[in-house]
Amino acid sequence: AQSVAQPEDQVNVAEGNPLTVKCTYSVSGNPYLFWYVQYPNRGLQFLLKYITGDNLVKGSYGFEAEFNKSQTSFHLKKPSALVSDSALYFCAVRDLSEAGSYQLTFGKGTKLSVIP
Amino acid sequence: EAGVTQFPSHSVIEKGQTVTLRCDPISGHDNLYWYRRVMGKEIKFLLHFVKESKQDESGMPNNRFLAERTGGTYSTLKVQPAELEDSGVYFCASSYSTGISYEQYFGPGTRLTVT
């Protein structure tokens, strides 16, 4: 069965500094990886995905993620953090269940706090 | 286009009562998913509809949970009778296709508190 780990419950970063939110995965076969963000009192918003191709994936709001097959990682990055980036970030892997459903398996989430 | 909507946003009920959550997917999305996040833990898959049919309900915790999607539009998730461990945030998501590259669009969730 596939799994996703987000080793940090919380990440604090100063505004303007680069940020990284870590994610590692374990899947059989090719990984299909996603990042979602949840702002307070809002639903999960899709940020970016890796399906195939270039290991550096660019997404919404200036975020990007680097797929590293050898390290089984898919870390989320942004060159310069904004206070408005403060939110809960979820990494997810998508796989085909025995019943034929492409369901998402999520990590526990990482709370990002950007300090002014 | 309008996003995925869920109702109610928050529900507080007593143990043993019944609660029904509703999800309206994005118009034209045949695929509808339910997920649940128990406090501090991972978001877990519950089930997947394709139109009005259940494609996969392997994540449903037990037979106290009943999901329906009559007519292939909105879906309801009923919990009867509710237990304390059912507390959490219930998310609904929809997607246009079942293809692996299609992202799922999530609603704001329903926070269920069972006391």
Side-chain angles (χ1 to χ4, degrees):
Chain A
Q2 65 273 20
S3 65
V4 175
Q6 294 181 242
E8 303 155 318
D9 291 335
Q10 178 147 356
V11 170
N12 297 320
V13 63
E15 186 177 23
N17 282 3
L19 70 86
T20 299
V21 182
K22 296 180 180 178
C23 171
T24 59
Y25 64 88
S26 174
V27 301
S28 55
N30 295 321
Y32 300 96
L33 299 158
F34 297 76
W35 275 102
Y36 283 84
V37 59
Q38 185 181 21
Y39 298 102
N41 301 316
R42 303 285 296 276
L44 296 166
Q45 293 183 32
F46 168 76
L47 271 181
L48 50 78
K49 64 185 177 185
Y50 173 82
I51 303 298
T52 186
D54 195 349
N55 289 344
L56 185 63
V57 179
K58 294 188 182 298
S60 305
Y61 312 121
F63 283 93
E64 57 189 27
E66 185 171 10
F67 170 67
N68 188 317
K69 188 173 183 178
S70 63
Q71 297 185 4
T72 62
S73 67
F74 189 55
H75 300 332
L76 182 70
K77 300 180 179 183
K78 187 172 183 181
S80 179
L82 300 173
V83 173
S84 57
D85 293 329
S86 299
L88 191 56
Y89 290 81
F90 291 94
C91 182
V93 63
R94 194 168 185 184
D95 202 359
L96 186 62
S97 71
E98 292 183 1
S101 173
Y102 282 118
Q103 56 184 257
L104 292 170
T105 298
F106 286 88
K108 291 178 65 174
T110 298
K111 183 179 180 181
L112 173 68
S113 294
V114 180
I115 303 162
Chain B
E1 62 181 5
V4 177
T5 58
Q6 293 186 244
F7 182 82
S9 57
H10 193 181
S11 179
V12 181
I13 62 171
E14 294 183 352
K15 176 182 173 180
Q17 290 185 321
T18 297
V19 64
T20 299
L21 313 181
R22 174 172 169 143
C23 168
D24 287 79
I26 293 172
S27 178
H29 282 194
D30 287 340
N31 297 275
L32 188 149
Y33 307 80
W34 283 98
Y35 292 84
R36 177 176 73 171
R37 186 181 190 220
V38 174
M39 184 61 69
K41 297 193 175 182
E42 295 90 344
I43 300 169
K44 294 284 193 181
F45 168 82
L46 296 179
L47 86 158
H48 170 205
F49 284 100
V50 178
K51 296 184 179 179
E52 66 276 8
S53 299
K54 291 176 185 175
Q55 177 74 29
D56 184 351
E57 53 183 334
S58 61
M60 294 288 264
N62 50 62
N63 59 11
R64 295 185 293 103
F65 288 75
L66 175 64
E68 295 180 325
R69 193 184 181 194
T70 306
T73 54
Y74 70 92
S75 173
T76 57
L77 179 64
K78 180 189 287 187
V79 185
Q80 179 182 28
E83 298 288 345
L84 297 178
E85 63 265 25
D86 301 333
S87 295
V89 180
Y90 290 76
F91 291 103
C92 176
S94 71
S95 69
Y96 175 74
S97 172
T98 55
I100 198 161
S101 66
Y102 282 86
E103 52 265 28
Q104 297 175 16
Y105 294 87
F106 282 77
T110 293
R111 181 175 296 277
L112 175 64
T113 303
V114 182
T115 62

